[in-house]
Amino acid sequence: MKDNVIDKHPAHSLRGYKRVVVKVGSALLVDHESGRLRHEWLDSLADDMAALKAEEAHILVVSSGAIALGRHVLGLAGGALKLEESQAAAATGQIALARAWDEAFRRHALTTGQILLTLSDTEERRRYLNARATIETLLRVGAVPIINENDTVATQEIRYGDNDRLGARVATMAGADCLVLLSDVDGLYSAPPQVDPNARHIADVAEITPEIEAMAGASGTAFASGGMRTKIEAAKIAAEGGTAMLIASGKELNPLKRIEEGAFSTLFAARKNPVTARKKWISGHLEPHGTLTVDHGAVDALKKGRSLLPAGVTSVSGTFERGDTVLVQDPDGREIGRGLVGYDVADARRIVGLRSGDIEAVLGYPPRAALIHRDDLVLREASAQSAGMGLSGK
């Protein structure tokens, strides 16, 4: 095992973190046979989080379970649901889910507030800032935000599809220093343990390399929709924003307390130099609208902190408008960064490879100098490009 992985198992502790996001999977909250909420388990988790809050930590919850609860109430149990059935189940289940969380925390005299987000709410800058302000206000007055994807309005094309990545976006949005993913697995293994009996549990990951990504498997329960691959993607988002991420099993009662007592878990380290708030938002985009391929000269210029000029771009793909997020890749197809593009796709294609002085004659209007200004560009760290990890704030 390489140096970026610690193969022994130290005990992980949540004490000392000032702001903790706890993501809870559907398979933990809802009994897969009866479709009913696991009240005893939920109360035990609320006990754990109340104990952390008593130590002056801010606590946020990202909770799955609305559709799983709602389909039982509506008699839609069994088999895959149509989109409109999922949305109807979510509409019913969100009421029950919010009530359950509120009752669990009120046992500790804690108030909750429900926030329903769509992918667009965290991809569009103004809505992102509004959501962040709401979260910050709830935390300031001592409430516990209960956050879920707004499945009643989100379609397949505009949704997260899993609450692991939503949890990571919420964690970076809220400036959390730790994200805990509770699910049906107790961490990362060297291979899927269901397939390989010799798979080793990985306790700590300092950097997400291709080797780490290759360890990702799929989840094995009917209600769970994440899987280890989405957890790795969540870890990337979290780490880039300065948030450590812990994967742990939530199958037993008091899962956070069990982590403190030495239960298996995997900790993904946060970057020591996280990106700034604006670039944190850019780097966390899950749905870039296009790709700009650049030449080697442009790669070198970007590493020096310069803007991306049309002269260094060799091809444009995708469908985007000015202000959308696009990927920037090198001649070998490796992503080197992402940023907010300064031109619509049609004009971007017309000025590929042109020097600044030649652009106005082609477009017919005075051009912006850069396809992506350096203030709107987030680059992968040079030391981590080959590892597929880390964004810098250059």
Side-chain angles (χ1 to χ4, degrees), residues 28-234:
L28 302 178
L29 273 171
V30 182
D31 181 78
H32 71 280
E33 294 182 355
S34 68
R36 298 184 184 277
L37 192 74
R38 299 176 62 207
H39 286 282
E40 182 183 9
W41 181 88
L42 178 57
D43 287 344
S44 77
L45 176 59
D47 293 344
D48 290 350
M49 289 189 280
L52 289 175
K53 202 169 189 312
E55 297 182 3
E56 300 186 348
H58 287 155
I59 302 297
L60 302 88
V61 176
V62 173
S63 177
S64 302
I67 293 177
L69 284 174
R71 67 184 296 168
H72 171 74
V73 174
L74 297 177
L76 296 172
L81 298 179
K82 299 177 182 178
L83 175 61
E84 61 271 21
E85 290 176 331
S86 293
Q87 292 176 326
T92 301
Q94 282 166 357
I95 297 173
L97 187 64
R99 181 172 61 246
W101 279 110
D102 189 62
E103 291 173 351
F105 278 108
R106 282 192 182 277
R107 295 167 50 252
H108 299 276
L110 295 174
T111 301
T112 62
Q114 185 185 45
I115 301 175
L116 299 177
L117 297 174
T118 66
L119 177 63
S120 300
D121 292 327
T122 56
E123 302 278 88
E124 200 275 318
R125 180 65 172 167
R126 180 175 297 178
R127 291 156 73 180
Y128 171 93
L129 293 175
N130 287 340
R132 188 176 70 176
T134 300
I135 290 172
E136 193 64 38
T137 301
L138 286 171
L139 294 174
R140 177 170 53 81
V141 300
V144 179
I146 310 296
I147 302 161
N148 193 8
E149 183 161 17
N150 193 352
D151 291 307
T152 60
V153 299
T155 65
Q156 294 297 332
E157 291 77 19
I158 61 170
R159 68 190 305 268
Y160 277 86
D162 66 87
N163 274 358
D164 294 330
R165 293 185 300 168
L166 174 59
R169 286 308 302 270
V170 168
T172 59
M173 177 194 298
D177 46 5
C178 185
L179 166 64
V180 181
L181 299 186
L182 293 178
S183 71
D184 54 354
V185 296
D186 59 3
L188 177 67
Y189 284 77
S190 58
Q194 307 95 322
V195 177
D196 184 355
N198 297 317
R200 300 184 308 279
H201 183 270
I202 308 301
D204 289 82
V205 177
E207 183 180 45
I208 301 176
T209 65
E211 178 189 18
I212 296 299
E213 293 185 275
M215 297 176 185
S219 100
T221 63
F223 284 125
S225 62
M228 188 57 66
R229 189 166 301 279
T230 62
K231 289 174 174 55
I232 297 295
E233 292 301 315

Side-chain angles (χ1 to χ4, degrees), residues 6-13 180-190 193 199-204 228 246-252 254-267:
I6 301 175
D7 206 17
K8 62 182 180 179
H9 192 277
H12 295 127
S13 175
V180 181
L181 299 186
L182 293 178
S183 71
D184 54 354
V185 296
D186 59 3
L188 177 67
Y189 284 77
S190 58
R200 300 184 308 279
H201 183 270
I202 308 301
D204 289 82
M228 188 57 66
L246 193 68
I247 299 174
S249 172
K251 291 182 178 180
E252 305 296 331
N254 301 102
L256 301 185
K257 182 180 179 182
R258 285 175 53 79
I259 294 172
E260 297 282 348
E261 294 172 346
F264 270 25
S265 58
T266 299
L267 181 66

Side-chain angles (χ1 to χ4, degrees), residues 4 205-214 232-237 239-240 268 271 283 330 333-338 379-392:
N4 62 308
V205 177
E207 183 180 45
I208 301 176
T209 65
E211 178 189 18
I212 296 299
E213 293 185 275
I232 297 295
E233 292 301 315
K236 291 181 183 179
I237 296 169
E240 290 158 4
F268 294 81
R271 289 189 57 214
S283 69
D330 67 15
R334 292 188 295 263
E335 181 186 340
I336 61 171
R338 57 184 63 190
L379 291 182
R380 291 186 180 276
E381 290 183 323
S383 61
Q385 284 179 18
S386 62
M389 174 61 183
L391 294 171
S392 71

Side-chain angles (χ1 to χ4, degrees), residues 271-292:
R271 289 189 57 214
K272 296 181 179 179
N273 55 334
V275 295
T276 61
R278 175 175 171 79
K279 295 195 174 186
K280 185 183 296 185
W281 168 68
I282 296 172
S283 69
H285 268 62
L286 300 179
E287 297 293 337
H289 294 270
T291 301
L292 306 181

